[in-house]
Amino acid sequence: MSTIKVSRLDFRRGARPILKGIDLTFELGTITAVLGPNGAGKSTLLGCMAGLLEPHAGTVELGGTELRDLHGRERAQRIAFLPQTPEIAWPIDVETLVGLGRIPYAGIASASENLAAMQRAMEMTSVSSWARRIVTELSGGERARALLARVFAGTSQWILADEPFAGLDPAHQFEAAELLRVFAGSGGVVLTVHDLSLAARIADRVVVLNDGCVVADATPEVALDPAILRTVYGVETEWLVAGSRRTPVIAIHGRYVG
């Protein structure tokens, strides 16, 4: 199985430690939400898992092989990365942007296979009607959906997404979450998210980081325990109850407890 295994991972910026001895294993067929306050190391962890950042110590393995030992093309075929603030430097249309997800398959897949993957990804994310629209002229939410289509076009085993719901309205947040759930039927998803309730709704597993360390790694109901959230975020929270069933909605009280 093509697991991602993070072992004793350390990362620093200058003299400042960002990640401290992280040990995590991610399995296919699941959605893992990585939470934590600003500066906790969430984006850095995803960058190391995607092979975009070189840790100062420790390893990241994909299917038993260290990322640094995989050819860049093979790594790109198996891991799709969606950054938090993607820069689009050229005024390209949506179809061209989605087609960038097929670059790792250049010379491997046929033109018809590439086109089919692009069309499927655009249909899944409801951007087919925007094929000729210029990406830099889209709204933030529209651009987020187009970028998600690019990721799906890559037909990878893993999607690592840094704040994939930022800029999306509630309806499209749930739509994107459902698409990731469909993907996780055969692949794996690791994403960062700030919305605690959204994480509780979509994730099979929640990893909470604080000050570069893992402070919780469990099911949403366990990892998002009010005591943990009080320590990490300094706020009072509670899980809401609807009838006899606990709903994955987390209420944050107005009181900051520090």
Side-chain angles (χ1 to χ4, degrees), residues 3-247:
T3 60
I4 297 180
K5 184 177 182 180
V6 177
S7 303
R8 303 189 63 79
L9 195 73
D10 289 344
F11 187 91
R12 300 188 303 273
R13 287 197 176 92
R16 178 174 171 243
I18 305 299
L19 298 174
K20 307 170 186 176
I22 302 294
D23 287 303
L24 293 166
T25 299
F26 301 92
E27 306 284 353
L28 293 175
T30 60
I31 295 179
T32 301
V34 181
L35 282 73
N38 292 333
K42 304 182 297 296
S43 297
T44 301
L45 174 61
L46 256 63
C48 290
M49 290 170 59
L52 302 176
L53 296 175
E54 183 68 26
H56 292 85
T59 60
V60 177
E61 297 179 2
L62 177 61
T65 302
E66 284 196 40
L67 280 186
R68 61 171 62 97
D69 294 332
L70 290 174
H71 189 277
R73 171 175 283 195
E74 182 181 0
R75 190 171 63 205
Q77 289 173 352
R78 297 170 69 180
I79 298 177
F81 180 69
L82 182 61
Q84 183 176 355
T85 53
E87 295 184 4
I88 302 174
W90 302 281
I92 57 177
D93 61 36
V94 169
E95 186 176 57
T96 301
L97 175 70
V98 175
L100 296 178
R102 300 301 300 172
I103 287 178
Y105 299 92
I108 299 174
S110 67
S112 61
E113 289 172 328
N114 288 332
L115 181 60
M118 290 167 55
Q119 291 176 337
R120 184 166 55 250
M122 292 173 69
E123 290 170 2
M124 288 174 61
T125 52
S126 303
V127 302
S128 298
S129 61
W130 307 345
R132 298 300 176 219
R133 290 181 63 185
I134 302 302
V135 177
T136 51
E137 298 175 0
L138 298 176
S139 70
E142 291 171 338
R143 188 180 302 189
R145 289 164 63 188
L147 288 164
L148 193 59
R150 185 199 67 186
V151 168
F152 284 132
T155 60
S156 60
Q157 295 174 316
W158 285 94
I159 291 178
L160 308 182
D162 198 0
E163 290 291 334
F165 307 116
L168 294 177
D169 60 46
H172 287 116
Q173 283 185 355
F174 288 126
E175 180 183 41
E178 286 303 314
L179 290 173
L180 292 174
R181 169 56 58 197
V182 170
F183 178 89
S186 58
V189 178
V190 183
L191 56 88
T192 68
V193 61
H194 278 295
D195 188 320
L196 303 180
S197 293
L198 187 58
R201 283 179 178 273
I202 70 171
D204 304 297
R205 170 188 179 192
V206 170
V207 172
V208 182
L209 297 182
N210 193 30
D211 193 28
C213 299
V214 176
V215 297
D217 178 10
T219 61
E221 193 170 36
V222 174
L224 298 176
D225 181 82
I228 293 173
L229 299 180
R230 184 186 307 116
T231 300
V232 172
Y233 291 100
V235 295
E236 294 287 357
T237 62
E238 65 177 327
W239 282 69
L240 300 183
V241 178
S244 61
R245 177 175 171 269
R246 298 190 76 181
T247 62

